[in-house]
Amino acid sequence: AICSGNLIETSRCGYAAKERIVYTYTVKQQCFAGSLSIVVGPLVALPETSTATSAATRSTIQKTYFAPPGYVSELAHTTQRVTGCIAMYEKYLAAPFPYNTLQVVYVPHELLCTGMHVASSLVILSMEYLAREIDVQVSLNARLMQARALSVLWFGTYLLPDSESDSWLVQVSKHRR
């Protein structure tokens, strides 16, 4: 199970045939319950830890990318520019990435109403944005969608509109295709 926030522990409860796995997560940033999400399914993880190069921010972000089994090479290719995108936003905004974790999950398109869903430190994208190295157009679309998702993490999940009349700004950035 992949959820917004940091995985604290995994434990088993119950007995034999009724045993269950319990995942405990914590979200350090203050957020609304509506900005929490969970993804459950057979997924392969591709972890990455990096430090932003911006001298002003120097934030360490634990990034983990997930996709269904059989898509590891596409996952590695598609997500190789996320760190640079985060660094660009940090430099432009002169502020560190608001979360200490980032989890990006790729799921079959039919499981999403739109091409992406953004929650607190969790981005869920359609598998149509997983690209092989030779798919130039898909790679470009994937980078644009990742950049859009990261902007929604800042403006719409972490930073909220000041009033109801400003909420259209978040909705436009979420649903623009």
Side-chain angles (χ1 to χ4, degrees):
I2 299 113
C3 185
S4 301
N6 300 333
L7 178 64
I8 300 299
E9 70 176 336
T10 303
S11 58
R12 296 183 180 274
C13 66
Y15 56 93
K18 298 226 177 198
E19 186 176 65
R20 292 187 173 91
I21 299 173
V22 177
Y23 299 92
T24 306
Y25 283 84
T26 184
V27 178
K28 294 181 181 182
Q29 292 81 6
Q30 187 176 14
C31 64
F32 294 103
S35 67
L36 302 175
S37 290
I38 187 167
V39 179
V40 179
L43 298 165
V44 176
L46 182 66
E48 172 197 339
T49 302
S50 63
T51 304
T53 57
S54 171
T57 60
R58 295 184 192 250
S59 59
T60 301
I61 307 159
Q62 174 64 46
K63 295 182 285 298
T64 310
Y65 310 107
F66 300 89
Y71 291 91
V72 175
S73 63
E74 290 90 342
L75 186 62
H77 173 71
T78 304
T79 58
Q80 67 186 352
R81 302 247 196 280
V82 171
T83 299
C85 187
I86 291 172
M88 181 198 67
Y89 278 124
E90 288 181 324
K91 182 178 178 184
Y92 180 76
L93 297 170
F97 187 70
Y99 304 99
N100 60 357
T101 61
L102 172 64
Q103 300 178 103
V104 181
V105 183
Y106 290 86
V107 298
H109 182 69
E110 55 271 8
L111 298 179
L112 290 172
C113 295
T114 62
M116 77 172 177
H117 173 77
V118 179
S120 180
S121 74
L122 174 66
V123 174
I124 305 167
L125 295 171
S126 168
M127 283 179 54
E128 72 182 42
Y129 297 109
L130 279 177
R132 296 177 296 153
E133 287 186 44
I134 61 171
D135 293 335
V136 176
Q137 187 62 46
V138 176
S139 294
L140 178 61
N141 290 340
R143 290 180 190 152
L144 291 171
M145 186 58 83
Q146 289 167 354
R148 186 173 303 131
L150 290 171
S151 73
V152 172
L153 274 175
W154 256 293
F155 306 103
T157 304
Y158 183 69
L159 299 173
L160 298 172
D162 194 31
S163 70
E164 194 63 35
S165 63
D166 294 331
S167 65
W168 68 272
L169 292 167
V170 175
Q171 296 306 317
V172 166
S173 66
K174 278 186 181 178
H175 300 292
R176 187 172 168 266
R177 196 150 156 110

